[in-house]
Each structure stands twice: as C-alpha cells, then as structure tokens.
Amino acid sequence: MRKKWLIFIVLLLAVPYVRAQGHQGETSFDWGWLFARYGWQADGTRIPEPVSPEQYAFDDSGWRKLDLPHDWGIEGPFRPDLEGFTGKLPWKGIGWYRKHFRIPAKDKGKQYYLDFDGAMANAEVWLNGEKVGDRPYGYISFRVDLTPHIRWGEENVVAVRLNTEKLGSRWYPGAGIYRHVRLVVTDPVHVAQWGVFVTTPHITDEEGKVSVNVKIQNDGPVETECSYTVDIYELNTDDVRGKKVAVSPSRKLVLPSDVSGSDSVLLKVAFPKRWSLEHTNRYMASVKVFRNKKKVDVYEVPFGFRTIQFTHDNGFLLNGKRVQINGTCNHHDLGALGAAVNEAALKRQLMILKSFGCNALRTSHNPPAPELLTLADKLGFLVMDEAFDCWGVGKKEYDYGALFPKWHERDIESLVCRDRNHPSVILWSTGNEVEEQYHPESGMARHLTEVVHRFDNTRPVTFGASYPSKSAMNGTELQVDVHGMNYAAGVYGGPYFYGEFLNKEGHEYLSGYSSESSSTMSSRGEYFPRRFHVSSYDLNEPGWGGLPDQEFAALDRYPGICGEFVWTGFDYLGEPTPYNSDNSVLLNHVAALSEEEMEQQKKALEDIEKNRPTSRSSYFGIVDLAGFPKDRYYLYQSRWLPQLPMVHILPHWNFPDKEGEVIPVFVYTSGDEAELFLNGKSLGKKKKQAYEYRLRWEDVIYQPGELKAVAYKHGQKWAETEVRTTGRAVKLKLTPDKTSIKADGDDLVFVKVSFLDEKGDEVPVAENLVSCTLNGAGRIVATDNGDPTCLIPFSSPVRPAFNGLLLAVVKAERGHKGMLHFVAEAEGLEKAELDIQIETGYRKKR
Ligand code: GAL
C-alpha cells in the first residue's frame, strides 16, 4: 500500500505541471469553508448580523459547510416579485465565510498570502479577528497578507464578510466567494504579486526576443541580496512543460527591507512558434529566485509569440494577417450554475462559441475569471478584457460609480497586471457606454488610457461608446487607441458617416470596430411566441439594437472596420429585455434620447409593470441559457465559418393547428443559393442578393410532412438538410458532452435530454416533465431548459423540457471512484439511461 502511494506521489511530482501564472507550490484554498447568510434572506425576511463573526472564538458550529467557488444567489428560489435585472434571484444579502486551518510552527519566518480571484462584493477579510484587507469591486482579483497575525503552530481562522445589499448591477452579479482562492506560502524574498511581465518585442521566423520584467519583493527585516534566473520552456495544451528553449544569465538585486525592486532580462528563442487562433502555441517563463545560493521561489508564466495591429483601413492584423473579429459579448454567469466559476462549464461555453465560428470574446462589462483567459489562450480566442460598466457617473445606486474615485486606478492596475501575459488579450477596455463620453473636456477617457499604459503599453486601449453618432466626433474617440462603437451599423453602414469619420483630421490612424452589435432577441424554438416569449424568426431587436444582417451589411460595406462583438453569445441571468422591468436601460441612453423616444420607453416600462412578466433571463443570446443553439446560431455560423458546408431551416415543421395557413420559412446557409422543397415539391430556388444573408420563403402554405433545403455554392451542391413533422414523443434520448468525469470536486458532465418519436426523429415541441436521478458517488447539480420565463429552481432535478430540450448537469463527489448512473424519466415515455465513468486519480489544480 505504502509503495503504491510513493509511486503516486513521485508521479505527481514528476509531471512538470503549470496551470496558470503563479508560484510553484501555491495551493487551492477552496475546500472546507463555513458559511452563514445574514441581512436579506432568500424569502425576503431579514436576519440581523451577530456580533463580531470575525473574532477568533466566534461560535460558527451551526454554520453550513461548503467548498468554493460558491454563489448564494443561484440557490434561489426565484422570486417573481423581484425586478427583471436581478434575474429574479435573491442575491442581495450579507454573507459570512469562515475557515479554520493550521499553520505549522516551522513556517515561522515565511510569508502567508491569500489570493482571491474575486468575491462578490464589498469584501472584508480578517485573520484571527484582525482585519487584513478589503476590496469592494466584486470582479477584481486581490491578495491579502496573513503573515502579521498568524498563530504559528496553532489553528487560525480566516473570516470574510461580503455585502451585496450595497451592490448595484444591471444584470445578475452572483453573490459570495464565487471564484477560486489560493494560499501562497513564500520566503520573505519572493516574486511580487503578478510580478512577472513577459513581452515579445521582436519576432521573426528565425528568432523571438523575449523581455521578462521581474518584480521581487523583500518582506524580510533586513536588506538582502538576491538573484534570479529565467528559463523558457515550450508548453503544451495540457499545461505540461516541454523542451527548455532559452536560459537567462543570473541577475542580482539588492533589496532593502520591505521594498520591492524590478529588473528586466532579454532572452532569445530560436524559431519561435507563433500563437494564432488555429495554432495556440504557448511557452512558459519560469523565474527562479535565489537567496544565499538557495532557491527560494519559482514563479511561472505562460505566454505566446504573436503580433497584433489595429489598422485604419485594413481592420485587425494578427501576426500580420487580417483576422475579422467575429466576437461575442458575454456576462460572467454560467447559466444554471450562476456566477460560481467552473472550468468545465467555461470550456463548454467556449467550445459552443467556437462551433459557430466565434473567435473573440468581450468580457462585458468586467474583469473575467482568470480561467477564462487561460482557456482563451489554449482554445484560440481573441479577448477584449473589460474593466467597468461605468466610470464616475453611475448607472444604478451602489454600482461602480460609487467606487470609481477611490478605486479605479488600483482596480485597473490589478486587472492589467494579472492579465497582461495572455496572448489572447488584444484589447483593454476601460468601460461601456459611459456618460463621460459626452464630455471630452473631462479628459477622463485619456486619463484611463494612460493608467492602463502605465502597466502595459503593448496593447491598445478602447471602450464601448454608445451612440457613436453623438460622441464619435467630439474628441473622446481620440483619447483611446482604438475606437469601440456600440450599435453603430446604422451609423457606419450609412455612407454619410463613416467616410466622414475616417477622413476627419486627426483620425488618420484611428481604427474602429463594433464593440457591441445586434441585441437581437428570441426564445429558442418559439415561432408563434407564447406570453413573455420572443419569436425565433430572428427579426426582433430593441430600439437601440439591430439585426445580425444589418451589421453584416455594414461590415461588408466598410471592411476597414475590424469586426464586431455581438450582444450576446449566451443568454444570461437578468436583463430580460423586452420584458425587463428595470429602467437602467432607459437611463443608460438618456443623453441620446429624444423626448418622444423617452415617452415611448416610459410607456413600455409601465406596460411591463402592469403585466408582471416572469422573465428572469435574457433573450439576446445566440445560444440559450442552457447552452442550446437558437436559430441565430446558424445565421452566424453561415457567415463566420464560410468554408463549412451547412444549411439550416427554420421553423420546425410541427404545427398541427396551422394546416393550410401561411408559415414563413427561412434558410441560413454558407452557400449562396438554396432550393426549398415541401413534400418533394420545389418551392423555388433563391439566391442571396448583395448584402443579403438569409433566404426567405415568406408564403409557404403549411402542410405536414417534410421540408427540405438543398444549398449551392458557386453553382455546385454544397449542403442539404430537412425538417419533418414528427409523431408524439415515445422515448427519451441522452447526449452527454463526455462519458467520463474527474472526481476533483470541479469537473462536470452536461447531459442533453431530447425526445424521440416512433421513427426516431427528435420531437422539437415536446415539453414533458422530466425527472432526473443519479446513482453512484455524484449528484445532479442543476437542470435547465433554456426557457427565460421558467421559475423552477435550477437545483431541481425535475423540470419540464422547453421546445424539445432539457439539460442536466452532473458532478462526481470529490475523491470517489466507480460509475455514475444517470436516468431520465417522463410519464408514458421509455426512459433513458447513461453510465458515466469516474476517472481515477484526482488532484485539485492550482
Ligand atoms: C447595451 C449595453 C449592454 C446591454 C445591452 C442590451 O446598450 O451596453 O450592457 O444592456 O445594451 O441590449
């Protein structure tokens, strides 16, 4: 037995494993916390906070045990009385977390830090009753130093208080320590937090120059001489270190007590493999710090060789080649899992985005979880990394507007220093639709651009301007490096504007892109929408938005523009426009609305108030909240993956009560023409005209049977598809995203449940109630069906399907082995079963 363990440990140590940047030997601090909720409770009652829960001796024996990441808001239940922007989830409250842990006496003299990737919100942290830090912005990563208040050789207690009662948000923010926490134990002389900055100032096919700036901190009591070296390794996509490709000479630093010092070293890598969207080659800089000839710290940073350039008239260039930005904006929630970060869920989202050709992400409107950027590096996405939704002028009470004066410089520093080594990050965004854009004289945009450049001058700075027609030529656009335009298709698409803009004096070098586009709304699979739904014909947009086709046309007319970030890739919790009872959207654009438009907005809001929609998540997604593609997915796929032979028909063909009635049929294809057949009879061939992106047969008379589309490209057959009227559902079908799971406490399997008729065709309208069960050492953590109006808690294993689909999310208990057996049942239907193998060997990653 002993021997087995030894082999296991040796194997673990032998794999040179790097997850993200950080100190070798950092450990996860996610497990074994205690939690209690005070202030507002889920049911709307209040529980007062007890006296001093931060104290060492506070009695927390009745608190709930849990592991991080944790989001208390997603636990629900949904509250119909809450406003739409909240996601109708009761996230407002005061959360306390405590964790008891021992620190060995032999570590006295070392530094102990806790690194929080993010805590929502207004975090205050204590160790053994002593305050060690606070950080109000819930999306920012921060560190606290535990060292001065440690009880060496004894039990220690860390306590965290979070307050979301004083948090204003236009969407569902989540609540709790919703990202990872790590314990960092170092020598007093160590690499400072985010203290390694790798740049690649010169790249040719033969040689890549790598400049590594290292900041070392001396927390010891005396002046110390130390040295450091940098080695560069190849890094594969599984984060395993490969060949060593460069070694630096040793460099010396003398650091007085309590001071940090920086130094740079230049290395050369022969024949560097460039990072691109297709080939995500990465390298790793490993910095070793020595004191008295002893190695005291190792800090590792993945990075990539690539060049980026935003041009005035030829869009965005990656490694010198034009890449059209086919991006999506996304909020940070993971649907039914809420804001609690989960790598498997993030990866699933990115793979879905990739499958329709999305190649860029805007982290609207806040700093993302670090895992998102590592995944973007590995999977090949460009990232616009965004800091804030507002500057000094807030959009809601208690939002970032209140924090801005005191915190914005520090928050920008943390964001940029944390994320500046990721090859995927191509743009820093300081904000979204900020009121200050209308006041160029304030110089605020310039100030923020300068703050970012203090910490990284290798990437341009931008922000998303609303109503660019009003602010794009007032001078604000010259205070950033690249001009972001929200909902501007009508503006730059119109010949009167963009030409004028491009040619304006001072704009000779300015590059532009659509920082937010479309905002088309739909409910998946709804064509003749029920109450509080929006049709899936992809023809509905809010007043400020547009249809995908309009943006495509504008971009085709002005290829100098770098591309777009569509609002949004996924549906998200909160902001259920057009059934949003929140008025922040109105306030958001107040400077640009006419009196008449303002009246219309107010009237729309009054109607919503009267009708009390149950809508709790958005309709904007190309993909629904559960991760199922809407029709729009295929429209984007047809444009963004032009080489993929594909054709898609909408709607489905199950309308028993519409026989003889007109039903429009749309076809999305990467071909240039298509012929439509109903029950074998041609309904004609249609060809895309200039600036036309979908083919429409507006007056098809419905009769049950088969609708088939044959697409052509350059006159050759390109792709074919059909939709059939189905019978009623007789059995269930399960499609998991994978068939094995790691028992590491994080990994998830996503199981799609669909319905088959007698012939084995999927029934697109089935809405049967499905019960999911799981046998074995695991549990069903959530279910969802993509219906934005459904108020059944996400934790329920019983849920009706929505337009033919349901999702169940499965997790294995940490450290367990064996098989999980998943069963889905619906009354009167043949059940479906699935085995999921638990992978042996697990490890909490850094
Ligand atoms: C934009 C805003 C986004 C979102 C979107 C909805 O104006 O920047 O955050 O609210 O509207 O269409």
Side-chain angles (χ1 to χ4, degrees):
M1 184 65 196
R2 254 217 199 129
K3 204 166 149 204
K4 242 189 183 170
W5 269 109
L6 201 66
I7 293 171
F8 178 64
I9 288 166
V10 167
L11 271 177
L12 270 189
L13 295 176
V15 180
Y17 178 85
V18 189
R19 179 169 160 72
Q21 67 180 353
H23 303 266
Q24 227 177 44
E26 291 185 7
T27 48
S28 167
F29 206 63
D30 285 348
W31 295 341
W33 287 78
L34 299 168
F35 171 73
R37 177 171 176 173
Y38 299 106
W40 289 117
Q41 300 297 298
D43 62 2
T45 58
R46 281 189 76 86
I47 298 181
E49 283 178 275
V51 179
S52 303
E54 75 279 9
Q55 288 307 315
Y56 185 78
F58 179 83
D59 178 10
D60 55 18
S61 52
W63 286 21
R64 180 176 148 198
K65 288 197 179 85
L66 50 76
D67 294 336
L68 307 178
H70 171 235
D71 172 6
W72 78 67
I74 202 66
E75 293 167 3
F78 284 108
R79 289 250 311 275
D81 60 307
L82 295 177
E83 283 188 89
F85 76 87
T86 61
K88 297 203 181 288
L89 284 163
W91 49 266
K92 282 196 184 271
I94 294 171
W96 275 91
Y97 295 80
R98 284 168 60 93
K99 176 162 161 149
H100 298 244
F101 64 114
R102 288 193 74 79
I103 297 187
K106 69 168 175 48
D107 274 3
K108 194 158 185 184
K110 289 197 169 164
Q111 290 292 120
Y112 266 70
Y113 300 104
L114 275 190
D115 281 357
F116 291 82
D117 286 345
M120 193 66 73
N122 297 304
E124 295 173 85
V125 188
W126 292 263
L127 181 73
N128 301 327
E130 305 287 342
K131 189 83 168 265
V132 290
D134 51 11
R135 199 68 181 244
Y137 190 30
Y139 295 102
I140 206 76
S141 298
F142 63 98
R143 163 173 284 190
V144 296
D145 183 0
L146 304 179
T147 324
H149 305 294
I150 287 177
R151 299 183 175 207
W152 302 99
E154 292 177 36
E155 179 168 281
N156 287 261
V157 182
V158 65
V160 181
R161 178 183 189 265
L162 301 177
N163 182 355
T164 49
E165 292 185 356
K166 294 235 155 74
L167 169 64
S169 180
R170 297 191 296 114
W171 57 88
Y172 174 80
I177 310 181
Y178 71 110
R179 290 184 182 162
H180 294 291
V181 182
R182 284 173 306 278
L183 181 67
V184 179
V185 182
T186 67
D187 187 82
V189 174
H190 58 271
V191 173
Q193 185 189 21
W194 306 312
V196 176
F197 181 23
V198 184
T199 55
T200 51
H202 191 71
I203 312 169
T204 65
D205 287 349
E206 290 73 36
E207 188 179 89
K209 291 206 169 94
V210 185
S211 163
V212 183
N213 182 272
V214 180
K215 186 170 166 192
I216 299 179
Q217 192 166 323
N218 176 14
D219 280 322
V222 291
E223 183 177 272
T224 304
E225 184 181 301
C226 63
S227 63
Y228 75 91
T229 59
V230 181
D231 297 329
I232 295 180
Y233 297 87
E234 290 179 344
L235 188 61
N236 78 9
T237 41
D238 295 326
D239 290 318
V240 176
R241 210 163 76 181
K243 213 167 64 202
K244 194 190 276 192
V245 292
V247 181
S248 81
S250 168
R251 310 265 308 178
K252 269 202 184 74
L253 281 179
V254 178
L255 298 172
S257 163
D258 240 359
V259 159
S260 61
S262 293
D263 186 58
S264 287
V265 64
L266 196 70
L267 294 93
K268 289 176 189 163
V269 172
F271 304 105
K273 294 181 200 143
R274 284 183 181 77
W275 181 91
S276 68
L277 299 183
E278 301 76 29
H279 304 285
T280 56
N281 297 306
R282 292 179 309 152
Y283 290 80
M284 193 200 59
S286 172
V287 178
K288 296 189 184 72
V289 180
F290 300 86
R291 183 166 62 94
N292 297 332
K293 300 212 169 101
K294 198 175 142 220
K295 187 167 74 188
V296 290
D297 195 15
V298 180
Y299 195 93
E300 295 166 328
V301 176
F303 71 96
F305 288 98
R306 50 94 179 123
T307 60
I308 56 169
Q309 211 183 332
F310 285 84
T311 71
H312 180 59
D313 48 11
N314 190 27
F316 169 71
L317 312 182
L318 179 66
N319 299 321
K321 280 195 226 115
R322 191 180 195 288
V323 172
Q324 180 80 359
I325 295 181
N326 296 329
T328 56
C329 302
N330 287 292
H331 278 314
H332 67 311
D333 74 63
L334 295 166
L337 303 169
V341 72
N342 181 282
E343 203 179 320
L346 276 174
K347 186 169 177 190
R348 171 177 182 254
Q349 282 203 338
L350 295 194
M351 294 309 286
I352 292 169
L353 292 174
K354 238 188 165 20
S355 69
F356 64 91
C358 172
N359 66 7
L361 311 166
R362 176 184 178 194
T363 69
S364 44
H365 302 296
N366 43 258
E371 290 77 15
L372 180 79
L373 299 181
T374 301
L375 283 167
D377 289 348
K378 290 190 196 185
L379 299 174
F381 283 89
L382 307 168
V383 178
M384 168 173 168
D385 199 346
E386 188 149 272
F388 313 122
D389 188 39
C390 64
W391 297 343
V393 183
K395 297 176 181 172
K396 287 186 92 73
E397 195 186 14
Y398 300 128
D399 69 6
Y400 199 77
L403 305 176
F404 185 84
K406 181 170 169 205
W407 288 95
H408 72 270
E409 292 202 17
R410 239 178 108 182
D411 286 339
I412 289 179
E413 177 178 357
S414 299
L415 169 70
V416 176
C417 292
R418 189 195 69 173
D419 295 349
R420 61 191 173 177
N421 294 313
H422 289 279
S424 57
V425 176
I426 57 159
L427 271 176
W428 300 112
S429 166
T430 54
N432 172 59
E433 301 193 338
V434 293
E435 184 61 25
E436 287 87 338
Q437 70 183 317
Y438 303 113
H439 305 284
E441 70 290 352
S442 71
M444 188 53 87
R446 177 178 303 112
H447 161 68
L448 296 173
T449 302
E450 284 167 4
V451 176
V452 172
H453 284 319
R454 262 181 233 161
F455 308 104
D456 176 26
N457 55 16
T458 70
R459 296 172 179 87
V461 177
T462 187
F463 72 85
S466 41
Y467 286 89
S469 56
K470 303 213 169 168
S471 66
M473 290 206 260
N474 68 7
T476 311
E477 76 283 5
L478 297 174
Q479 301 182 14
V480 291
D481 305 314
V482 176
H483 184 47
M485 295 169 276
N486 285 8
Y487 305 101
V491 185
Y492 52 69
Y496 64 92
F497 177 74
Y498 207 70
E500 204 186 316
F501 177 77
L502 281 174
N503 296 326
K504 191 180 178 227
E505 206 187 321
H507 285 197
E508 293 82 359
Y509 301 104
L510 203 60
S511 168
Y513 70 102
S514 172
S515 34
E516 217 175 290
S517 59
S518 181
S519 268
T520 301
M521 306 169 296
S522 65
S523 305
R524 176 184 51 77
E526 282 288 306
Y527 300 96
F528 301 96
R530 290 167 281 185
R531 200 165 147 78
F532 305 138
H533 282 290
V534 186
S535 156
S536 193
Y537 274 101
D538 297 333
L539 292 172
N540 291 285
E541 85 258 25
W544 59 90
L547 299 180
D549 324 49
Q550 288 160 345
E551 188 68 40
F552 298 162
L555 292 170
D556 282 347
R557 286 201 173 94
Y558 291 94
I561 295 171
C562 304
E564 62 173 319
F565 288 93
V566 178
W567 192 266
T568 48
F570 285 82
D571 277 340
Y572 52 92
L573 295 164
E575 213 183 23
T577 310
Y579 304 108
N580 195 3
S581 53
D582 174 31
N583 64 1
S584 65
V585 171
L586 181 77
L587 296 177
N588 209 358
H589 299 301
V590 84
L593 291 185
S594 67
E595 243 172 64
E596 196 189 328
E597 285 169 325
M598 189 81 142
E599 277 314 304
Q600 278 170 9
Q601 287 274 35
K602 282 192 180 148
K603 169 95 186 31
L605 288 173
E606 272 165 31
D607 286 351
I608 288 170
E609 277 303 305
K610 245 192 346 239
N611 295 324
R612 300 214 146 265
T614 58
S615 311
R616 45 69 168 162
S617 48
S618 85
Y619 300 77
F620 292 123
I622 295 170
V623 178
D624 77 15
L625 196 77
F628 301 132
K630 298 183 188 173
D631 289 295
R632 205 148 62 254
Y633 169 101
Y634 300 97
L635 184 55
Y636 283 100
Q637 191 180 55
S638 71
R639 179 174 171 89
W640 289 354
L641 292 177
Q643 303 312 330
L644 179 78
M646 56 76 59
V647 54
H648 172 77
I649 300 177
L650 69 123
H652 58 68
W653 214 236
N654 274 34
F655 298 102
D657 55 352
K658 289 204 181 296
E659 228 166 292
E661 289 180 30
V662 170
I663 294 194
V665 173
F666 292 0
V667 166
Y668 299 156
T669 176
S670 50
D672 45 32
E673 58 183 325
E675 185 165 10
L676 189 69
F677 300 87
L678 177 56
N679 293 328
K681 187 169 161 272
S682 173
L683 301 183
K685 227 180 193 182
K686 288 188 192 283
K687 199 176 174 73
K688 286 182 193 166
Q689 302 303 310
Y691 306 115
E692 200 183 24
Y693 305 90
R694 57 176 111 185
L695 298 171
R696 300 160 72 141
W697 283 258
E698 296 283 0
D699 45 15
V700 178
I701 309 286
Y702 178 78
Q703 47 175 261
E706 185 186 83
L707 200 56
K708 178 163 126 180
V710 182
Y712 297 85
K713 193 164 187 160
H714 309 310
Q716 303 290 314
K717 190 168 162 192
W718 179 246
E720 184 180 312
T721 192
E722 62 277 314
V723 291
R724 265 191 295 276
T725 310
T726 72
R728 61 170 198 90
V730 294
K731 63 173 172 186
L732 295 167
K733 177 182 168 192
L734 303 179
T735 316
D737 69 336
K738 51 187 194 264
T739 50
S740 69
I741 190 166
K742 290 190 209 68
D744 60 0
D746 288 328
D747 199 14
L748 300 171
V749 170
F750 292 84
V751 185
K752 177 170 105 177
V753 183
S754 55
F755 300 80
L756 302 181
D757 71 359
E758 282 288 359
K759 293 195 195 125
D761 284 335
E762 293 209 339
V763 182
V765 290
E767 300 213 325
N768 309 49
L769 190 67
V770 180
S771 297
C772 302
T773 44
L774 190 76
N775 300 315
R779 68 205 152 88
I780 295 165
V781 286
T783 62
D784 188 11
N785 58 15
D787 174 356
T789 66
C790 179
L791 297 184
I792 298 169
F794 287 125
S795 55
S796 170
V798 181
R799 179 181 299 278
F802 175 64
N803 287 323
L805 296 175
L806 180 106
L807 176 80
V809 188
V810 171
K811 192 181 231 180
E813 293 303 341
R814 175 155 46 93
H816 284 256
K817 283 200 223 151
M819 198 67 106
L820 299 179
H821 187 69
F822 178 88
V823 186
E825 290 168 284
E827 208 183 306
L829 307 192
E830 192 183 313
K831 68 179 174 187
E833 300 176 71
L834 170 77
D835 283 332
I836 302 168
Q837 175 74 50
I838 301 179
E839 293 172 25
T840 50
Y842 73 94
R843 183 155 50 116
K844 183 79 180 173
K845 294 174 186 171
R846 193 167 77 200

